[in-house]
Amino acid sequence: MSKRNLSSSGRWLTAFVLLAMLLSGVSTGVNAEGLQQSGGPEAGAAPERIIRTTGALPGIYHIDYLNNFYNLNPDTLPVDGSIGFWIWSTLNPAQSGAGQYNWAALDNWIKSRVDRSATTPTGVGIMISTYDTTTANDIRSTPNWVIKIPDAVIPATTSTGIPHYIDYFRRTARKTLNGEFESGLSLWTVSDPAAITVDTAPPVDSTYVLGDTLPGRGSNGNALQLGGVNNVNATAEHQAETVPAMPPSLAGQQNVYVSLRVNIETTDPNPNDHLYVELWDAGNNKLGGTQLDINNLSHVGQAADYWKGYTFDVTSFGTEKAVKVVLKVVTDGANPTIFHVDNVQLRVRHLIPKYWGAAHKDAYKTFINALGARYRQRPPDGPLKDDNKYLLQFVAMGTGAYGESQPTQDVVDWEYKSTFDHVVKNAGMDTTGEWRDYVNEISLAYATAFGTGDPAGPDRHVFLQYAPSFISGEERGYTTDYAAALGVGLSHNRLAPEFTGLYTNDRSGFYDPIRLHWNSVPIAFEAYNDDLRCNTVLSYWAVRSAVEKHADYIRTDPDLLRNSSTGLPTIHTPIFDWARQYLGKTVQNTPRVWTIMREHRNPAMLTCGTVYYNTTATSARYPQYGNFNYWLYQVDAITGGKTVAETNDKGADSRYAKNPSNGGAYTQAGLGLCGEKAYSNIYLTNPPVCNPQPYNPDLPPLVGQNPNDYRDFYDPWDWTGEGKEAYVVRRTDQATNNPYMFFRIDDGYIPGTQVYSAKITVGYFDIGTDQWSLKYHSTTGEKVAGTVTKTNTKTYKEISFTVTDGKFANGLTGSTDFYLDSRAPNGTADGNEWVHKVEVEKLGAVVEPTHTPTVTVTPTQTHTPTATATSTPTTGVVEGRAYQDTNKNGAYNAGEPLLQGAVMALLNMGNVEVYTATSGADGVFRFAAVAPGQYKLVEKTPPPGYMTSSYSLTFVVNANQTLSGFDVGYQQAATATPTATATVTATATPTVTATPTATMTTEVRRVYLPLVLR
């Protein structure tokens, strides 16, 4: 990496970045076991994130293509905002010295998007781009007035020095939507459908050379058919395309031309039938006369399969305006001619910004300053009135191609078999350091304009779209460190369930910047329909990955949320809706913490169309190993707690995995570190291992995958999404004396200095008929929260344990807070456990026995105790009733059975039992003479045949007072063997003490998905 062009200002800025990192205490994200924690702390409470802006609205932001195409309804879809793609030339069409900014367009768009709902606050974000490469808007994102400044842009050539042109009728790589007619008359307007239509193209003769044309010619493609009837005068007009200005250095050259291929089918001996090719402006005015006049005899003497290419230069009148290519057919009254036209192209010189040159850079900085002056703060009135509804949330700043951190596209241009990095290199920017310094300079400009370093917090978030690089991935580390030190957020613009090159040892990994800076700047991801739409297996794991990395915003393709044909939610909508509760949260205010059991797969399914088989290739190294940990950590490096990763997918098992193209064996397939792949030193303390045979047929299958066809292992379009929870799981391993799974809660969520009531949910697979228990750190040491007896339904189930005395002070083995014990309650080995996820939700702080208690609320308490006068002036009365909560709503309803035999207790401030009472046949329990003071009402023993309740309520009893209305609901103890659709059997370990045992609530998870057709 060259540092020769690092200026003195660059040196002090680099020093500033490093100093800021030290002062901010940037975490390495490695815990005591060497497990990557997405930036989580090594020990102690995670610090409060400092990224919040005033009135911030993190969440799911759908992409609004063309800024007028999508406007999803937040009342019916999981949408928190929209993101618009705004190009520099739209907002700054004339030189800034004349004050020509088009803020009205942006203001109106913001207002239209936040006005979608009268009840749901909706934010917006914008992405700025100055250049969009050969497959999109090209140099047209740069204003014409900038293009015309000497040395502001670079005319592109091929690697051999041939001038390069872009077909403006081509919208996506390798496909023309408008000039090849493969999509019918898309973007063409026809005046007479009887005379102009699309049909199969005539064949191409054997001597035909495609040259610079697109594929799809001849019998395998379509063509436009004009004529075929007499006395016709008809036109086909292509949608107008805007041609940019040209730089002074190209004056007098051919910069814009039209080309097409023509085949003529005629029996007319006279040249009276004509095909005219013209150029019109958007107002339908002909520019420069008729450019081509091709008559029916123009190809006389040629075979029927002869196609001729035509071109004409339109540079002199076709720049700086919107133009239309028009094909006109005119025939006489006899012997009609058919003109077949194909491969119509509007070809324009390819220009690339000279980003680092003073002409381009100074003009862009002037615009950045004006943008910040306009939108840095929320104005008190006007179209962006800040009433917590008109919210511009963030600005994704543009640095290079598509607004991201590379100067040109890094895909090979299909036409010239060349990338275009050589253009900027030959123009003088030929080192990693030079591109890095330019990106840092733009980050500083945006940070200054939007005040990201304001100690009070900026009004807008600013993001660096950092994922791509120019020459070296090391640029990524330097530019993101610099941006984060300025308070600029980080956006990774591709979301996938798996990826490679994520965590490295030189900060060049795609997720290294997030690992280092998630706790000091906002984080964003971008999810695209083409990557995830095939099924919910990929979208489920991809979105989980983004949330695990503490994303604040997920920028989402609208077609992942809404079916474009029906307008209804898609099969992917639920996972995005689930994510909203966690986006933008800190460890202090997240609703719950969790860990999702996973491991790196080989081969890795990255997207709907991409599978990587990881070998020794550099591109296959440095994936993410281990679980997705969201402030809850499953600790594998504790004696007795080493787990094994398994899957329901044969495609990741070396016994079955094969190359779908040739049937060759994938010998290094498996879960974990399978093959000679490098891994980041964040895993050094607990390095990943390989399970080469992870397929388990007892796990719920990937529905739609044919387990007997290796080609179907890698065809996610066949999968329905069912079985996604078993795509990767972890199990205990009693055979190697590892019967446990240990878990540690981040101290920032539940500090060990306080006792908490909490709900612990385990998502497990009901394989076998053995038992497992959940044990936790309580105020009295290790305690059993409950025991589950499995019934071998081989389904996925979830069970919740509610504990009221959780100490969670890292007091168990390996400084953990709770663990799953796969053995039978008597400690004998009886079978392993397969787990998908574990969640912890704190329900509230609980007063420790040595402290003055406060009132706590439990879900079963529904009535406020009513105070009435009694005849005993020196004592009070406490009474309530026990009932069977048949509808499980936590409240007593008429007709629900009243229960006899519930033993309740009143505990004093020392947590000592003082009074007991037992419910009678009418369900009523009554403490008749209670001395004045503060008590806690708890259950001592449940009614016969019923499960323990977690009822607990603290209150004050006064003399001459009756407190009533304490309704305690119970559920019957399960006795029947459940089926796959029944409620799971949960057997609680009996514990009769003054402290109540935990209630276990269960849920059988069912997912119903519509039929998805390819």
Side-chain angles (χ1 to χ4, degrees):
M1 179 187 65
S2 170
K3 295 184 180 180
R4 62 184 177 85
N5 287 328
L6 184 62
S7 64
S8 59
S9 61
R11 287 192 293 270
W12 78 256
L13 287 172
T14 301
F16 166 72
V17 170
L18 297 176
L19 176 61
M21 290 177 64
L22 293 173
L23 293 177
S24 61
V26 173
S27 169
T28 62
V30 185
N31 66 11
E33 289 72 44
L35 300 178
Q36 191 273 330
Q37 293 189 8
S38 302
E42 292 189 18
E48 179 75 38
R49 299 184 74 190
I50 56 174
I51 63 172
R52 300 279 63 82
T53 66
T54 303
L57 188 64
I60 305 295
Y61 280 61
H62 77 82
I63 300 169
D64 183 11
Y65 293 108
L66 304 180
N67 301 334
N68 60 9
F69 201 72
Y70 286 90
N71 194 358
L72 304 191
N73 187 349
D75 294 333
T76 59
L77 293 169
V79 171
D80 299 291
S82 305
I83 177 171
F85 290 167
W86 289 86
I87 59 178
W88 180 16
S89 57
T90 296
L91 299 177
N92 189 189
Q95 190 166 359
S96 57
Q100 296 297 314
Y101 292 103
N102 186 16
W103 302 134
L106 181 51
D107 288 349
N108 292 334
W109 177 82
I110 292 174
K111 189 176 188 303
S112 69
R113 292 308 180 260
V114 300
D115 264 348
R116 284 175 289 188
S117 171
T119 58
T120 306
T122 309
V124 295
I126 60 174
M127 190 201 82
I128 303 297
S129 181
T130 64
Y131 173 65
D132 292 315
T133 80
T134 62
T135 60
N137 206 48
D138 182 46
I139 197 65
R140 287 173 287 183
S141 295
T142 297
N144 284 329
W145 66 269
V146 176
I147 295 173
K148 291 187 290 186
I149 300 175
D151 207 33
V153 297
I154 313 165
T157 64
T158 67
S159 57
T160 58
I162 300 172
H164 185 244
Y165 295 84
I166 301 172
D167 176 16
Y168 271 22
F169 288 0
R170 177 164 58 101
R171 286 298 186 185
T172 57
R174 299 181 181 272
K175 184 177 182 182
T176 293
L177 299 181
N178 316 315
E180 282 190 330
F181 307 104
E182 301 308 307
S183 301
L185 286 168
S186 172
L187 301 186
W188 290 83
T189 300
V190 172
S191 65
D192 184 354
I196 302 179
T197 186
V198 172
D199 204 351
T200 303
V204 178
D205 66 49
S206 59
T207 62
Y208 180 80
V209 179
L210 290 179
D212 63 354
T213 62
L214 296 169
R217 303 279 52 76
S219 59
N220 294 324
N222 293 334
L224 190 66
Q225 178 177 298
L226 302 95
V229 292
N230 293 322
N231 298 315
V232 163
N233 189 330
T235 59
E237 303 174 17
H238 189 278
Q239 174 182 285
E241 290 289 340
T242 301
V243 178
M246 288 292 133
S249 62
L250 294 182
Q253 300 185 32
Q254 176 178 276
N255 298 321
V256 187
Y257 69 92
V258 174
S259 67
L260 68 159
R261 299 281 178 176
V262 179
N263 172 280
I264 303 173
E265 182 181 342
T266 186
T267 59
D268 194 336
N270 301 307
N272 298 327
D273 298 333
H274 295 265
L275 171 67
Y276 300 107
V277 185
E278 301 172 349
L279 198 70
W280 296 2
D281 65 18
N284 295 329
N285 300 303
K286 189 185 302 183
L287 300 173
T290 298
Q291 277 72 44
L292 285 179
D293 179 356
I294 305 169
N295 66 56
N296 55 293
L297 300 184
S298 295
H299 295 180
V300 169
Q302 300 296 335
D305 58 1
Y306 175 74
W307 286 78
K308 182 178 181 180
Y310 293 87
T311 65
F312 57 94
D313 189 346
V314 296
T315 303
S316 61
F317 48 83
T319 59
E320 292 194 67
K321 61 173 67 71
V323 299
K324 297 190 288 188
V325 172
V326 179
L327 307 175
K328 180 190 296 185
V329 60
V330 178
T331 63
D332 62 9
N335 300 318
T337 298
I338 298 177
F339 296 95
H340 301 281
V341 176
D342 208 352
N343 198 29
V344 184
Q345 300 185 14
L346 175 64
R347 300 184 66 79
V348 181
R349 279 298 298 268
H350 179 194
L351 306 175
I352 298 174
K354 190 172 182 179
Y355 300 97
W356 67 100
H360 186 280
K361 186 168 56 177
D362 291 348
Y364 186 32
K365 284 184 178 180
T366 300
F367 165 73
I368 293 169
N369 289 335
L371 184 71
R374 172 75 179 183
Y375 296 103
R376 172 174 176 168
Q377 295 178 327
R378 297 187 179 94
D381 51 29
L384 304 180
K385 184 178 179 181
D386 186 9
D387 58 359
N388 294 323
K389 186 175 180 183
Y390 297 155
L391 302 175
L392 174 59
Q393 289 293 310
F394 60 83
V395 177
M397 64 187 193
T399 52
Y402 301 116
E404 300 181 322
S405 297
Q406 60 180 355
T408 67
Q409 72 265 44
D410 52 14
V411 298
V412 174
D413 181 83
W414 73 269
E415 188 174 339
Y416 290 94
K417 303 297 185 292
S418 173
T419 62
F420 289 96
D421 282 351
H422 67 273
V423 175
V424 293
K425 290 179 181 178
N426 292 340
M429 189 177 64
D430 60 353
T431 71
T432 282
E434 288 165 329
W435 176 250
R436 177 198 67 204
D437 289 349
Y438 165 75
V439 173
N440 287 350
E441 196 169 346
I442 298 304
S443 291
L444 180 61
Y446 271 95
T448 302
F450 283 89
T452 60
D454 188 339
D459 282 347
R460 312 282 186 241
H461 288 149
V462 175
F463 283 97
L464 170 66
Q465 302 175 104
Y466 74 86
S469 59
F470 174 37
I471 296 177
S472 168
E474 292 182 20
E475 299 160 6
R476 197 173 294 122
Y478 285 104
T479 58
T480 55
D481 284 352
Y482 185 90
L486 296 172
V488 171
L490 306 177
S491 180
H492 189 282
N493 291 3
R494 189 176 188 184
L495 184 58
E498 280 267 25
F499 225 82
T500 55
L502 299 182
Y503 297 109
T504 66
N505 298 326
D506 59 4
R507 297 178 298 130
S508 66
F510 287 112
Y511 291 167
D512 278 326
I514 295 174
R515 178 177 62 86
L516 292 169
H517 302 299
W518 67 271
N519 208 30
S520 59
V521 297
I523 301 297
F525 283 89
E526 200 160 82
Y528 281 98
N529 190 46
D530 286 347
D531 290 339
L532 303 177
R533 62 177 171 167
C534 47
N535 63 68
T536 54
V537 177
L538 301 190
S539 60
Y540 177 86
W541 287 91
V543 173
R544 289 274 189 176
S545 176
V547 174
E548 183 246 6
K549 293 163 184 64
H550 307 291
D552 298 277
Y553 302 95
I554 298 181
R555 297 155 43 169
T556 309
D557 194 313
D559 288 335
L560 283 171
L561 303 177
R562 186 203 65 177
N563 186 299
S564 58
S565 299
T566 66
L568 299 175
T570 70
I571 58 175
H572 307 282
T573 304
I575 187 61
F576 286 97
D577 195 24
W578 167 86
R580 299 168 75 193
Q581 64 189 311
Y582 299 107
L583 298 176
K585 292 298 190 293
T586 68
V587 70
Q588 288 83 6
N589 65 17
T590 180
R592 58 193 63 83
V593 296
W594 44 262
T595 184
I596 301 295
M597 308 297 180
R598 70 168 291 278
E599 189 50 90
H600 172 60
R601 307 170 62 81
N602 185 24
M605 185 78 67
L606 305 188
T607 68
C608 289
T610 308
V611 178
Y612 277 180
Y613 177 57
N614 295 355
T615 61
T616 57
T618 302
S619 61
R621 299 175 179 176
Y622 300 105
Q624 177 174 356
Y625 294 101
N627 300 333
F628 288 157
N629 298 314
Y630 186 78
W631 285 309
L632 176 65
Y633 313 106
Q634 180 258 323
V635 186
D636 227 38
I638 298 176
T639 301
K642 188 69 174 178
T643 60
V644 177
E646 291 189 344
T647 179
N648 61 355
D649 179 17
K650 282 186 174 180
D653 190 302
S654 60
R655 295 170 294 180
Y656 312 106
K658 295 182 180 180
N659 186 330
S661 63
N662 58 24
Y666 278 158
T667 58
Q668 296 179 351
L671 296 182
L673 181 62
C674 299
E676 298 178 8
K677 298 182 296 299
Y679 59 88
S680 170
N681 58 19
I682 64 175
Y683 302 107
L684 287 180
T685 304
N686 186 39
V689 297
C690 173
N691 181 6
Q693 299 181 357
Y695 174 67
N696 184 345
D698 287 335
L699 290 167
L702 279 174
V703 177
Q705 184 189 70
N706 184 348
N708 300 314
D709 185 351
Y710 66 85
R711 293 166 298 184
D712 206 38
F713 299 165
Y714 313 105
D715 185 7
W717 294 95
D718 290 344
W719 309 348
T720 68
E722 293 184 73
K724 58 183 174 290
E725 296 89 353
Y727 193 51
V728 184
V729 307
R730 287 190 176 273
R731 68 165 172 85
T732 57
D733 194 20
Q734 293 191 12
T736 60
N737 199 29
N738 286 282
Y740 311 119
M741 286 188 186
F742 292 100
F743 299 89
R744 180 182 303 136
I745 305 169
D746 193 290
D747 290 347
Y749 184 67
I750 296 183
T753 57
Q754 176 71 58
V755 178
Y756 271 86
S757 173
K759 181 169 73 172
I760 304 174
T761 300
V762 179
Y764 70 102
F765 296 91
D766 187 33
I767 300 173
T769 57
D770 53 290
Q771 295 180 307
W772 61 269
S773 302
L774 190 75
K775 301 177 180 180
Y776 69 102
H777 183 205
S778 75
T779 55
T780 58
E782 181 178 304
K783 184 180 287 188
V784 176
T787 299
V788 172
T789 301
K790 297 182 297 183
T791 56
N792 202 33
T793 63
K794 293 184 172 62
T795 58
Y796 174 66
K797 298 181 178 181
E798 294 185 2
I799 183 169
S800 295
F801 306 84
T802 300
V803 300
T804 59
D805 58 346
K807 184 65 174 174
F808 303 127
N810 310 136
L812 302 185
T813 302
S815 299
T816 56
D817 293 308
F818 64 94
Y819 67 98
L820 183 154
D821 187 346
S822 67
R823 302 171 304 176
N826 62 6
T828 60
D830 65 345
N832 287 313
E833 312 308 330
W834 289 259
V835 177
H836 164 57
K837 73 171 185 178
V838 177
E839 292 180 347
V840 176
E841 179 182 0
K842 58 183 178 185
L843 303 178
V846 177
V847 177
E848 293 189 63
T850 56
H851 294 81
T852 303
T854 58
V855 176
T856 60
V857 180
T858 132
T860 58
Q861 176 61 28
T862 60
H863 293 81
T864 301
T866 303
T868 59
T870 72
S871 57
T872 305
T874 59
T875 60
V877 176
V878 177
E879 59 185 21
R881 56 187 169 185
Y883 70 98
Q884 181 182 346
D885 190 8
T886 56
N887 61 7
K888 301 180 182 180
N889 68 350
Y892 176 74
N893 300 110
E896 290 184 320
L898 298 170
L899 303 179
Q900 183 176 6
V903 181
M904 306 299 294
L906 288 178
L907 311 182
N908 65 13
M909 295 306 89
N911 223 30
V912 175
E913 180 183 304
V914 181
Y915 304 98
T916 60
T918 303
S919 62
D922 59 353
V924 174
F925 57 87
R926 191 169 189 270
F927 301 88
V930 180
Q934 188 165 331
Y935 297 89
K936 179 164 65 175
L937 175 64
V938 298
E939 175 210 74
K940 184 174 182 180
T941 305
Y946 288 84
M947 297 177 66
T948 299
S949 168
S950 61
Y951 190 95
S952 175
L953 188 66
T954 302
F955 49 85
V956 175
V957 177
N958 296 314
N960 194 26
Q961 182 184 57
T962 295
L963 299 179
S964 61
F966 299 96
D967 292 337
V968 183
Y970 289 90
Q971 300 294 319
Q972 284 185 311
T975 56
T977 301
T979 64
T981 59
T983 301
V984 62
T985 299
T987 305
T989 302
T991 305
V992 183
T993 64
T995 303
T997 57
T999 297
M1000 296 174 291
T1001 59
T1002 63
E1003 173 189 353
V1004 178
R1005 182 164 183 155
R1006 304 179 180 88
V1007 180
Y1008 302 94
L1009 298 177
L1011 179 64
V1012 179
L1013 300 179
R1014 293 183 61 182

